[in-house]
Amino acid sequence: MKLSQLFTKTEREAPKNEASVNAQLLERGGFVYKNNSGIYSYLPLGWRVISKIAQIIREEMNAIGGLEMFMPALVDKRYMDSTGRWDVEVAFEAKGKNEDEARFTLGWTHEEVITEIVSKYISSYKDLPFAAYQIQTKFRNEPRAKSGLLRGREFLMKDLYSFHSSEEDFLRYYEKVRGAYHRIFERCGLKSFYTLAAGGDFTANNTHEFQVLAPVGEDTIFICSKCEYAENKEISSLTNGVLCLKCGGEVREEKSIEVGNIFPLGTKYTEALNLQFTDETGNKKFVVTGSYGIGLGRLMGTVAEIYHDKNGLIWPESVAPYKFVLIALEHSREEAEKLYQKLLEQKAEVLYDDREDKTAGEKFADADLLGIPVRLVVSPKTLKEKSMEVKRRGQKSFELLKIKNFDTLLT
Ligand code: ATP
Ligand code: MG
Protein backbone atom coordinates (compact mmCIF):
# COMPACT_ATOMS: atom_id res chain seq x y z
CA MET A 1 0.00 0.00 0.00
CA LYS A 2 1.10 3.55 -0.66
CA LEU A 3 1.19 5.75 2.40
CA SER A 4 -0.14 8.66 0.34
CA GLN A 5 -3.40 6.70 0.08
CA LEU A 6 -3.74 5.94 3.76
CA PHE A 7 -6.38 8.25 5.21
CA THR A 8 -5.03 7.96 8.74
CA LYS A 9 -2.20 10.18 9.93
CA THR A 10 0.37 9.69 12.64
CA GLU A 11 0.50 12.01 15.62
CA ARG A 12 3.61 13.30 17.36
CA GLU A 13 2.00 13.71 20.77
CA ALA A 14 0.39 11.05 22.89
CA PRO A 15 -3.39 11.51 23.28
CA LYS A 16 -4.21 13.26 26.56
CA ASN A 17 -7.02 10.92 27.57
CA GLU A 18 -4.99 7.71 27.40
CA ALA A 19 -2.91 6.52 30.33
CA SER A 20 -1.71 3.20 28.91
CA VAL A 21 1.27 2.83 26.59
CA ASN A 22 -0.56 0.48 24.24
CA ALA A 23 -3.37 2.94 23.59
CA GLN A 24 -1.00 5.90 23.29
CA LEU A 25 1.19 4.22 20.67
CA LEU A 26 -1.65 2.57 18.77
CA GLU A 27 -3.60 5.82 18.56
CA ARG A 28 -0.54 7.85 17.59
CA GLY A 29 0.25 5.37 14.84
CA GLY A 30 -3.33 5.42 13.55
CA PHE A 31 -3.89 1.74 14.31
CA VAL A 32 -7.00 2.38 16.39
CA TYR A 33 -9.48 5.16 17.02
CA LYS A 34 -11.02 5.61 20.42
CA ASN A 35 -14.78 6.06 20.02
CA ASN A 36 -15.44 5.91 23.72
CA SER A 37 -13.89 4.60 26.90
CA GLY A 38 -13.24 0.91 26.22
CA ILE A 39 -14.65 1.16 22.69
CA TYR A 40 -12.23 1.25 19.78
CA SER A 41 -12.36 1.15 15.99
CA TYR A 42 -9.63 -0.75 14.22
CA LEU A 43 -8.27 1.41 11.40
CA PRO A 44 -6.64 -0.12 8.30
CA LEU A 45 -3.22 -0.66 9.90
CA GLY A 46 -4.68 -1.96 13.14
CA TRP A 47 -7.07 -4.26 11.34
CA ARG A 48 -4.13 -5.84 9.51
CA VAL A 49 -2.54 -6.63 12.89
CA ILE A 50 -5.81 -8.09 14.18
CA SER A 51 -6.15 -10.13 11.00
CA LYS A 52 -2.65 -11.55 11.46
CA ILE A 53 -3.47 -12.49 15.04
CA ALA A 54 -6.79 -14.01 13.94
CA GLN A 55 -4.99 -16.07 11.30
CA ILE A 56 -2.51 -17.46 13.84
CA ILE A 57 -5.39 -18.32 16.17
CA ARG A 58 -7.34 -19.98 13.35
CA GLU A 59 -4.37 -22.10 12.31
CA GLU A 60 -3.81 -23.34 15.85
CA MET A 61 -7.51 -23.92 16.55
CA ASN A 62 -7.96 -25.80 13.27
CA ALA A 63 -4.86 -27.88 14.09
CA ILE A 64 -6.60 -29.23 17.21
CA GLY A 65 -9.79 -29.97 15.34
CA GLY A 66 -11.71 -26.77 16.09
CA LEU A 67 -14.43 -25.94 13.55
CA GLU A 68 -15.04 -22.26 12.92
CA MET A 69 -18.59 -20.92 13.14
CA PHE A 70 -20.35 -17.68 14.09
CA MET A 71 -23.09 -17.04 16.66
CA PRO A 72 -25.43 -14.11 17.31
CA ALA A 73 -24.37 -11.12 19.39
CA LEU A 74 -27.99 -10.71 20.55
CA VAL A 75 -28.38 -13.47 23.11
CA ASP A 76 -31.94 -14.35 24.11
CA LYS A 77 -32.80 -13.94 27.78
CA ARG A 78 -33.95 -17.56 28.01
CA TYR A 79 -30.41 -18.79 27.47
CA MET A 80 -28.99 -16.82 30.37
CA ASP A 81 -32.01 -17.57 32.57
CA SER A 82 -31.28 -21.27 32.12
CA THR A 83 -28.02 -20.89 34.04
CA GLY A 84 -28.86 -17.88 36.20
CA ARG A 85 -26.47 -15.63 34.30
CA TRP A 86 -28.98 -13.00 33.17
CA ASP A 87 -28.31 -10.69 36.11
CA VAL A 88 -24.51 -10.65 36.06
CA GLU A 89 -22.95 -7.22 36.43
CA VAL A 90 -21.00 -7.20 33.17
CA ALA A 91 -24.09 -7.66 31.00
CA PHE A 92 -25.41 -4.99 28.66
CA GLU A 93 -29.12 -5.50 28.15
CA ALA A 94 -30.73 -4.90 24.77
CA LYS A 95 -34.37 -4.14 24.05
CA GLY A 96 -36.48 -2.74 21.25
CA LYS A 97 -37.19 0.97 21.50
CA ASN A 98 -40.84 0.49 22.39
CA GLU A 99 -40.40 -2.48 24.64
CA ASP A 100 -40.39 -2.18 28.42
CA GLU A 101 -38.08 -5.01 29.26
CA ALA A 102 -34.91 -6.35 27.75
CA ARG A 103 -35.30 -9.63 25.88
CA PHE A 104 -31.65 -9.91 24.96
CA THR A 105 -28.24 -9.47 26.40
CA LEU A 106 -25.38 -8.36 24.16
CA GLY A 107 -23.39 -11.59 24.14
CA TRP A 108 -20.59 -11.51 26.69
CA THR A 109 -19.95 -15.28 26.35
CA HIS A 110 -21.68 -18.11 24.47
CA GLU A 111 -21.71 -21.33 26.52
CA GLU A 112 -25.51 -21.42 26.70
CA VAL A 113 -26.03 -20.55 23.05
CA ILE A 114 -23.72 -23.18 21.64
CA THR A 115 -24.96 -25.83 24.05
CA GLU A 116 -28.50 -25.34 22.80
CA ILE A 117 -27.39 -25.34 19.18
CA VAL A 118 -25.48 -28.59 19.43
CA SER A 119 -28.27 -30.31 21.35
CA LYS A 120 -30.15 -30.40 18.05
CA TYR A 121 -27.46 -32.66 16.58
CA ILE A 122 -25.89 -34.65 19.42
CA SER A 123 -27.57 -37.78 20.74
CA SER A 124 -25.03 -40.61 20.80
CA TYR A 125 -21.49 -41.18 22.06
CA LYS A 126 -20.69 -41.58 18.36
CA ASP A 127 -21.37 -37.85 17.88
CA LEU A 128 -18.62 -36.97 20.38
CA PRO A 129 -16.09 -35.46 20.83
CA PHE A 130 -15.94 -32.27 18.80
CA ALA A 131 -15.00 -28.63 19.23
CA ALA A 132 -16.18 -25.41 17.60
CA TYR A 133 -15.04 -21.82 17.85
CA GLN A 134 -15.84 -18.34 16.66
CA ILE A 135 -14.09 -15.00 16.49
CA GLN A 136 -16.70 -12.46 17.42
CA THR A 137 -17.36 -9.25 19.29
CA LYS A 138 -18.15 -9.62 22.98
CA PHE A 139 -19.77 -6.94 25.10
CA ARG A 140 -18.99 -6.40 28.77
CA ASN A 141 -19.84 -3.41 30.86
CA GLU A 142 -16.37 -3.13 32.35
CA PRO A 143 -16.15 -0.68 35.24
CA ARG A 144 -12.41 -0.14 34.73
CA ALA A 145 -12.08 0.36 30.98
CA LYS A 146 -8.96 2.47 31.09
CA SER A 147 -6.16 0.21 29.92
CA GLY A 148 -6.59 0.83 26.22
CA LEU A 149 -6.99 -2.36 24.24
CA LEU A 150 -6.36 -4.47 27.32
CA ARG A 151 -9.86 -3.91 28.64
CA GLY A 152 -12.64 -3.07 26.23
CA ARG A 153 -16.36 -2.77 26.84
CA GLU A 154 -16.65 -4.25 23.38
CA PHE A 155 -13.83 -6.51 22.18
CA LEU A 156 -13.04 -9.34 19.81
CA MET A 157 -12.78 -12.74 21.40
CA LYS A 158 -11.97 -16.16 20.04
CA ASP A 159 -14.14 -18.53 22.02
CA LEU A 160 -13.77 -22.27 21.57
CA TYR A 161 -16.17 -24.83 23.08
CA SER A 162 -15.50 -28.57 23.32
CA PHE A 163 -17.92 -31.45 23.94
CA HIS A 164 -16.99 -34.86 25.35
CA SER A 165 -18.45 -38.16 26.50
CA SER A 166 -16.25 -38.32 29.61
CA GLU A 167 -14.13 -36.25 31.95
CA GLU A 168 -11.02 -38.19 30.79
CA ASP A 169 -11.67 -37.35 27.18
CA PHE A 170 -12.26 -33.73 28.15
CA LEU A 171 -8.95 -33.59 30.06
CA ARG A 172 -7.03 -34.94 27.09
CA TYR A 173 -8.47 -32.16 24.95
CA TYR A 174 -7.82 -29.54 27.64
CA GLU A 175 -4.12 -30.40 27.42
CA LYS A 176 -4.22 -30.05 23.64
CA VAL A 177 -5.74 -26.60 23.98
CA ARG A 178 -3.07 -25.71 26.51
CA GLY A 179 -0.41 -26.54 23.92
CA ALA A 180 -2.24 -24.64 21.18
CA TYR A 181 -2.56 -21.57 23.42
CA HIS A 182 1.14 -21.52 24.25
CA ARG A 183 1.91 -21.77 20.53
CA ILE A 184 -0.48 -18.93 19.68
CA PHE A 185 1.09 -16.58 22.19
CA GLU A 186 4.60 -17.64 21.24
CA ARG A 187 3.88 -17.01 17.56
CA CYS A 188 2.75 -13.53 18.58
CA GLY A 189 6.10 -13.04 20.34
CA LEU A 190 4.81 -13.56 23.88
CA LYS A 191 5.94 -15.89 26.63
CA SER A 192 2.84 -17.03 28.51
CA PHE A 193 2.61 -18.69 31.89
CA TYR A 194 -0.02 -21.34 32.57
CA THR A 195 -1.62 -20.14 35.78
CA LEU A 196 -4.12 -21.72 38.15
CA ALA A 197 -7.07 -19.34 38.58
CA ALA A 198 -10.66 -18.91 39.74
CA GLY A 199 -13.74 -19.66 37.66
CA GLY A 200 -15.39 -16.22 37.71
CA ASP A 201 -18.92 -16.17 36.30
CA PHE A 202 -18.27 -19.44 34.47
CA THR A 203 -17.63 -22.26 36.91
CA ALA A 204 -17.11 -23.07 40.57
CA ASN A 205 -14.01 -25.08 39.55
CA ASN A 206 -10.52 -23.78 39.10
CA THR A 207 -9.57 -22.67 35.62
CA HIS A 208 -6.29 -21.86 33.92
CA GLU A 209 -5.16 -18.50 32.67
CA PHE A 210 -2.33 -17.68 30.31
CA GLN A 211 -0.47 -14.76 31.82
CA VAL A 212 2.15 -12.54 30.20
CA LEU A 213 4.43 -10.70 32.62
CA ALA A 214 4.07 -6.93 32.28
CA PRO A 215 4.12 -4.05 34.77
CA VAL A 216 0.82 -2.65 33.42
CA GLY A 217 -0.96 -5.96 34.02
CA GLU A 218 -4.04 -5.82 36.21
CA ASP A 219 -3.39 -9.32 37.53
CA THR A 220 -0.90 -10.44 40.13
CA ILE A 221 0.48 -13.94 39.99
CA PHE A 222 2.88 -16.00 42.06
CA ILE A 223 5.31 -17.84 39.86
CA CYS A 224 8.09 -20.30 40.59
CA SER A 225 11.42 -19.05 39.23
CA LYS A 226 12.51 -22.61 38.52
CA CYS A 227 9.60 -24.73 37.24
CA GLU A 228 7.33 -21.80 36.25
CA TYR A 229 4.36 -23.18 38.16
CA ALA A 230 2.02 -20.20 38.64
CA GLU A 231 -1.08 -19.26 40.58
CA ASN A 232 -3.27 -16.17 40.39
CA LYS A 233 -3.07 -14.17 43.62
CA GLU A 234 -6.89 -14.18 43.77
CA ILE A 235 -6.91 -17.83 44.77
CA SER A 236 -3.37 -18.46 45.93
CA SER A 237 -2.04 -19.18 49.39
CA LEU A 238 1.52 -18.54 48.16
CA THR A 239 3.50 -15.40 49.04
CA ASN A 240 6.53 -13.67 47.63
CA GLY A 241 9.75 -15.57 48.48
CA VAL A 242 8.27 -18.89 49.66
CA LEU A 243 9.56 -22.15 48.19
CA CYS A 244 7.61 -23.84 45.41
CA LEU A 245 5.75 -26.92 46.62
CA LYS A 246 6.42 -28.67 43.31
CA CYS A 247 10.17 -28.17 42.92
CA GLY A 248 11.59 -26.13 45.81
CA GLY A 249 12.38 -23.13 43.58
CA GLU A 250 11.76 -19.61 44.78
CA VAL A 251 8.30 -18.16 44.24
CA ARG A 252 8.08 -14.52 43.21
CA GLU A 253 5.21 -12.10 42.77
CA GLU A 254 4.67 -10.53 39.33
CA LYS A 255 2.25 -8.21 37.59
CA SER A 256 0.74 -9.80 34.50
CA ILE A 257 -1.81 -9.57 31.73
CA GLU A 258 -4.33 -12.40 31.28
CA VAL A 259 -4.22 -13.06 27.54
CA GLY A 260 -6.21 -16.28 27.63
CA ASN A 261 -8.38 -18.35 29.95
CA ILE A 262 -9.52 -21.96 29.65
CA PHE A 263 -12.39 -23.41 31.65
CA PRO A 264 -13.30 -26.96 32.68
CA LEU A 265 -17.08 -26.69 32.79
CA GLY A 266 -18.05 -30.26 33.66
CA THR A 267 -21.77 -30.73 33.04
CA LYS A 268 -22.93 -27.32 34.37
CA TYR A 269 -24.21 -26.05 31.03
CA THR A 270 -25.30 -29.36 29.56
CA GLU A 271 -27.44 -30.06 32.63
CA ALA A 272 -28.98 -26.59 32.47
CA LEU A 273 -29.82 -26.95 28.78
CA ASN A 274 -30.38 -30.70 28.89
CA LEU A 275 -27.71 -31.82 26.47
CA GLN A 276 -27.50 -35.59 26.89
CA PHE A 277 -26.09 -38.46 24.88
CA THR A 278 -26.53 -42.22 24.98
CA ASP A 279 -23.32 -44.06 25.90
CA GLU A 280 -22.11 -47.46 24.60
CA THR A 281 -24.24 -49.29 27.16
CA GLY A 282 -27.41 -47.40 26.35
CA ASN A 283 -27.34 -45.10 29.38
CA LYS A 284 -28.16 -41.42 29.09
CA LYS A 285 -25.47 -39.04 30.32
CA PHE A 286 -24.80 -35.34 30.26
CA VAL A 287 -22.13 -34.16 27.84
CA VAL A 288 -18.91 -32.85 29.47
CA THR A 289 -17.72 -29.49 28.15
CA GLY A 290 -14.97 -26.91 28.29
CA SER A 291 -14.66 -23.37 27.00
CA TYR A 292 -11.54 -21.51 25.98
CA GLY A 293 -11.15 -17.76 25.36
CA ILE A 294 -8.57 -15.40 23.92
CA GLY A 295 -9.08 -11.65 23.51
CA LEU A 296 -7.64 -10.52 20.18
CA GLY A 297 -7.51 -6.81 21.03
CA ARG A 298 -6.00 -7.53 24.42
CA LEU A 299 -3.41 -9.70 22.69
CA MET A 300 -2.56 -6.89 20.27
CA GLY A 301 -2.37 -4.42 23.17
CA THR A 302 -0.11 -6.80 25.09
CA VAL A 303 2.27 -7.09 22.13
CA ALA A 304 2.36 -3.28 21.99
CA GLU A 305 3.10 -3.10 25.73
CA ILE A 306 6.02 -5.53 25.39
CA TYR A 307 7.40 -4.46 22.01
CA HIS A 308 8.12 -0.75 21.85
CA ASP A 309 10.81 1.81 22.55
CA LYS A 310 10.77 5.58 22.93
CA ASN A 311 10.30 6.00 19.17
CA GLY A 312 7.29 3.75 18.79
CA LEU A 313 6.17 0.19 18.21
CA ILE A 314 8.42 -2.74 17.27
CA TRP A 315 6.04 -5.38 15.87
CA PRO A 316 7.23 -8.97 15.78
CA GLU A 317 7.15 -9.95 12.11
CA SER A 318 4.36 -12.47 12.65
CA VAL A 319 1.81 -9.78 13.55
CA ALA A 320 3.27 -6.70 11.85
CA PRO A 321 0.81 -4.91 9.57
CA TYR A 322 3.49 -4.93 6.85
CA LYS A 323 6.89 -6.56 6.81
CA PHE A 324 8.62 -3.75 4.89
CA VAL A 325 8.38 -0.02 4.84
CA LEU A 326 9.95 1.41 1.70
CA ILE A 327 11.01 5.03 1.90
CA ALA A 328 11.78 7.06 -1.18
CA LEU A 329 13.92 10.10 -0.53
CA GLU A 330 13.99 13.02 -2.93
CA HIS A 331 15.00 12.35 -6.53
CA SER A 332 14.77 8.59 -6.14
CA ARG A 333 11.05 8.18 -6.56
CA GLU A 334 11.29 6.46 -9.91
CA GLU A 335 13.65 3.75 -8.68
CA ALA A 336 11.65 3.32 -5.49
CA GLU A 337 8.44 2.89 -7.46
CA LYS A 338 10.06 0.16 -9.56
CA LEU A 339 11.30 -1.62 -6.46
CA TYR A 340 7.82 -1.32 -4.93
CA GLN A 341 6.28 -2.98 -7.97
CA LYS A 342 8.84 -5.79 -7.90
CA LEU A 343 8.19 -6.41 -4.23
CA LEU A 344 4.45 -6.51 -4.85
CA GLU A 345 4.92 -8.99 -7.68
CA GLN A 346 6.69 -11.26 -5.20
CA LYS A 347 3.74 -10.85 -2.81
CA ALA A 348 5.83 -8.98 -0.26
CA GLU A 349 3.85 -7.02 2.31
CA VAL A 350 5.19 -3.55 1.82
CA LEU A 351 4.11 -0.11 2.88
CA TYR A 352 5.53 2.41 0.41
CA ASP A 353 6.11 5.87 1.85
CA ASP A 354 5.67 7.81 -1.37
CA ARG A 355 4.50 11.01 0.34
CA GLU A 356 5.87 14.10 -1.33
CA ASP A 357 5.06 16.53 1.44
CA LYS A 358 7.13 14.80 4.13
CA THR A 359 10.79 15.25 4.97
CA ALA A 360 13.20 12.35 5.29
CA GLY A 361 13.19 12.88 9.05
CA GLU A 362 9.40 12.69 9.20
CA LYS A 363 9.36 9.50 7.14
CA PHE A 364 11.96 7.86 9.35
CA ALA A 365 10.08 8.89 12.47
CA ASP A 366 6.83 7.46 11.10
CA ALA A 367 8.50 4.20 10.09
CA ASP A 368 9.75 3.88 13.67
CA LEU A 369 6.42 4.84 15.21
CA LEU A 370 4.54 2.32 13.05
CA GLY A 371 7.03 -0.36 14.07
CA ILE A 372 7.39 -2.01 10.65
CA PRO A 373 10.08 -4.72 11.00
CA VAL A 374 12.28 -3.88 7.99
CA ARG A 375 12.96 -0.40 6.63
CA LEU A 376 14.19 0.02 3.06
CA VAL A 377 15.50 3.41 1.97
CA VAL A 378 16.23 4.44 -1.57
CA SER A 379 18.06 7.75 -1.94
CA PRO A 380 20.37 9.44 -4.48
CA LYS A 381 23.24 8.31 -2.28
CA THR A 382 22.27 4.61 -2.25
CA LEU A 383 21.40 4.74 -5.94
CA LYS A 384 24.98 5.68 -6.75
CA GLU A 385 25.77 2.14 -5.63
CA LYS A 386 22.58 0.80 -7.30
CA SER A 387 21.59 -0.11 -3.76
CA MET A 388 19.12 0.45 -0.99
CA GLU A 389 19.57 0.74 2.75
CA VAL A 390 18.14 -2.15 4.78
CA LYS A 391 17.57 -1.63 8.49
CA ARG A 392 15.69 -3.67 11.07
CA ARG A 393 13.42 -1.78 13.46
CA GLY A 394 15.04 -1.72 16.87
CA GLN A 395 18.58 -1.96 15.46
CA LYS A 396 20.82 1.03 14.88
CA SER A 397 22.97 -0.15 11.99
CA PHE A 398 21.88 -0.73 8.42
CA GLU A 399 23.39 -2.50 5.45
CA LEU A 400 23.44 -1.72 1.76
CA LEU A 401 21.82 -4.22 -0.56
CA LYS A 402 21.99 -4.12 -4.36
CA ILE A 403 18.51 -3.42 -5.64
CA LYS A 404 18.82 -6.25 -8.15
CA ASN A 405 19.24 -8.61 -5.19
CA PHE A 406 16.02 -7.48 -3.54
CA ASP A 407 14.64 -11.01 -3.55
CA THR A 408 17.12 -12.04 -0.83
CA LEU A 409 14.90 -9.98 1.47
CA LEU A 410 12.01 -12.30 0.84
CA THR A 411 13.49 -15.57 2.03
P1 ATP B 1 -10.59 -10.20 33.26
O1 ATP B 1 -10.34 -11.04 34.48
O2 ATP B 1 -9.34 -9.60 32.71
O3 ATP B 1 -11.71 -9.26 33.40
P2 ATP B 1 -12.14 -12.35 32.37
O4 ATP B 1 -11.50 -13.43 33.16
O5 ATP B 1 -13.41 -11.77 32.80
O6 ATP B 1 -11.06 -11.20 32.14
P3 ATP B 1 -12.69 -14.24 30.30
O7 ATP B 1 -14.13 -14.40 30.39
O8 ATP B 1 -11.77 -15.26 30.84
O9 ATP B 1 -12.26 -12.80 30.85
O10 ATP B 1 -12.36 -13.94 28.77
C1 ATP B 1 -11.48 -14.71 27.95
C2 ATP B 1 -10.40 -13.82 27.39
O11 ATP B 1 -10.96 -12.69 26.74
C3 ATP B 1 -9.51 -13.22 28.45
O12 ATP B 1 -8.48 -14.12 28.80
C4 ATP B 1 -8.97 -12.01 27.74
O13 ATP B 1 -7.93 -12.35 26.84
C5 ATP B 1 -10.15 -11.56 26.92
N1 ATP B 1 -10.92 -10.50 27.60
C6 ATP B 1 -11.77 -10.64 28.64
N2 ATP B 1 -12.32 -9.47 28.98
C7 ATP B 1 -11.80 -8.56 28.12
C8 ATP B 1 -12.00 -7.17 27.95
N3 ATP B 1 -12.82 -6.49 28.73
N4 ATP B 1 -11.32 -6.56 26.96
C9 ATP B 1 -10.48 -7.24 26.16
N5 ATP B 1 -10.28 -8.55 26.27
C10 ATP B 1 -10.92 -9.21 27.24
MG1 MG C 1 -10.57 -14.88 32.57
Side-chain angles (χ1 to χ4, degrees):
M1 187 187 54
K2 292 187 174 176
L3 253 177
S4 61
Q5 289 165 359
L6 186 66
F7 69 86
T8 60
K9 306 270 186 290
T10 58
E11 288 159 4
R12 288 287 136 241
E13 300 297 325
K16 298 224 159 40
N17 57 353
E18 291 285 13
S20 64
V21 169
N22 72 87
Q24 290 180 359
L25 289 175
L26 293 168
E27 282 180 50
R28 280 184 56 203
F31 290 88
V32 300
Y33 177 90
K34 184 181 194 171
N35 298 91
N36 215 315
S37 161
I39 304 177
Y40 290 87
S41 296
Y42 289 96
L43 302 170
L45 291 176
W47 188 245
R48 286 184 70 99
V49 176
I50 285 289
S51 303
K52 294 273 169 81
I53 291 173
Q55 182 57 22
I56 290 171
I57 292 176
R58 286 196 170 99
E59 285 171 15
E60 297 298 341
M61 289 296 99
N62 296 349
I64 56 168
L67 301 172
E68 187 166 5
M69 59 185 284
F70 195 80
M71 288 181 271
L74 283 177
V75 173
D76 197 296
K77 182 168 186 292
R78 76 187 146 89
Y79 289 114
M80 303 322 262
D81 279 341
S82 72
T83 53
R85 297 209 289 178
W86 174 256
D87 275 327
V88 297
E89 269 182 34
V90 292
F92 281 107
E93 292 183 353
K95 64 179 191 65
K97 190 159 176 47
N98 298 319
E99 294 167 354
D100 292 333
E101 282 186 22
R103 281 187 293 144
F104 300 99
T105 185
L106 294 181
W108 56 275
T109 188
H110 281 76
E111 281 81 8
E112 291 84 351
V113 180
I114 194 161
T115 302
E116 188 196 80
I117 293 172
V118 307
S119 66
K120 177 172 172 187
Y121 305 101
I122 303 311
S123 56
S124 153
Y125 69 94
K126 292 180 193 154
D127 301 324
L128 298 166
F130 69 95
Y133 71 98
Q134 63 176 347
I135 294 176
Q136 189 226 27
T137 302
K138 298 276 185 277
F139 302 86
R140 295 186 184 180
N141 197 2
E142 300 278 2
R144 324 165 262 167
K146 58 175 194 293
S147 313
L149 296 198
L150 302 184
R151 185 169 294 286
R153 290 193 289 169
E154 148 171 353
F155 59 95
L156 282 171
M157 192 199 283
K158 182 285 301 173
D159 40 332
L160 170 77
Y161 303 89
S162 73
F163 298 82
H164 308 268
S165 56
S166 68
E167 193 64 27
E168 298 74 60
D169 190 58
F170 160 74
L171 285 172
R172 272 195 296 276
Y173 193 73
Y174 197 73
E175 285 302 306
K176 275 196 190 176
V177 179
R178 171 184 181 170
Y181 268 43
H182 280 306
R183 281 193 294 281
I184 288 168
F185 301 127
E186 195 185 307
R187 288 179 65 182
C188 293
L190 300 174
K191 169 142 178 80
S192 59
F193 293 94
Y194 188 66
T195 306
L196 191 69
D201 285 318
F202 295 84
T203 173
N205 298 333
N206 280 330
T207 69
H208 290 93
E209 294 169 342
F210 293 77
Q211 298 277 359
V212 172
L213 304 188
V216 293
E218 292 179 4
D219 284 30
T220 304
I221 63 172
F222 291 112
I223 178 167
C224 171
S225 308
K226 206 162 131 202
C227 72
E228 300 188 344
Y229 174 78
E231 293 183 356
N232 195 308
K233 190 173 187 174
E234 279 175 2
I235 58 151
S236 185
S237 55
L238 298 170
T239 50
N240 201 21
V242 299
L243 296 186
C244 172
L245 294 175
K246 312 251 170 204
C247 78
E250 193 179 332
V251 169
R252 60 183 209 275
E253 187 175 322
E254 294 275 5
K255 285 275 169 217
S256 59
I257 303 170
E258 178 201 318
V259 287
N261 201 175
I262 61 178
F263 301 82
L265 301 174
T267 54
K268 171 175 169 182
Y269 296 89
T270 55
E271 284 185 42
L273 288 128
N274 196 28
L275 171 58
Q276 299 192 48
F277 70 101
T278 312
D279 72 6
E280 285 95 327
T281 57
N283 289 322
K284 284 214 173 245
K285 286 185 176 157
F286 288 109
V287 174
V288 177
T289 71
S291 70
Y292 316 83
I294 293 179
L296 281 74
R298 184 178 291 185
L299 190 45
M300 174 171 163
T302 303
V303 174
E305 289 286 344
I306 305 274
Y307 290 100
H308 69 266
D309 62 13
K310 65 178 189 337
N311 297 326
L313 294 151
I314 311 177
W315 294 113
E317 218 168 286
S318 57
V319 298
Y322 291 91
K323 177 170 175 189
F324 301 105
V325 53
L326 168 61
I327 297 181
L329 299 191
E330 266 181 82
H331 308 303
S332 45
R333 209 164 288 282
E334 206 176 306
E335 286 300 319
E337 177 75 35
K338 275 192 228 158
L339 175 59
Y340 175 57
Q341 292 306 331
K342 280 194 252 178
L343 285 165
L344 285 188
E345 277 163 30
Q346 299 298 315
K347 306 241 179 310
E349 297 188 13
V350 50
L351 187 61
Y352 173 29
D353 194 344
D354 61 334
R355 295 174 299 177
E356 297 193 8
D357 58 340
K358 297 284 172 199
T359 64
E362 287 170 320
K363 290 182 177 186
F364 291 152
D366 276 351
D368 279 354
L369 176 59
L370 297 180
I372 312 293
V374 181
R375 190 184 83 184
L376 310 175
V377 180
V378 178
S379 70
K381 208 167 106 200
T382 68
L383 286 178
K384 266 192 216 144
E385 319 258 339
K386 296 193 167 54
S387 294
M388 62 180 134
E389 231 180 75
V390 181
K391 187 179 101 56
R392 293 215 141 253
R393 175 73 176 91
Q395 284 177 8
K396 282 214 169 67
S397 61
F398 61 84
E399 53 187 61
L400 279 180
L401 178 72
K402 295 280 182 216
I403 291 184
K404 69 172 166 37
N405 294 335
F406 78 96
D407 53 345
T408 60
L409 291 167
L410 305 172
T411 49

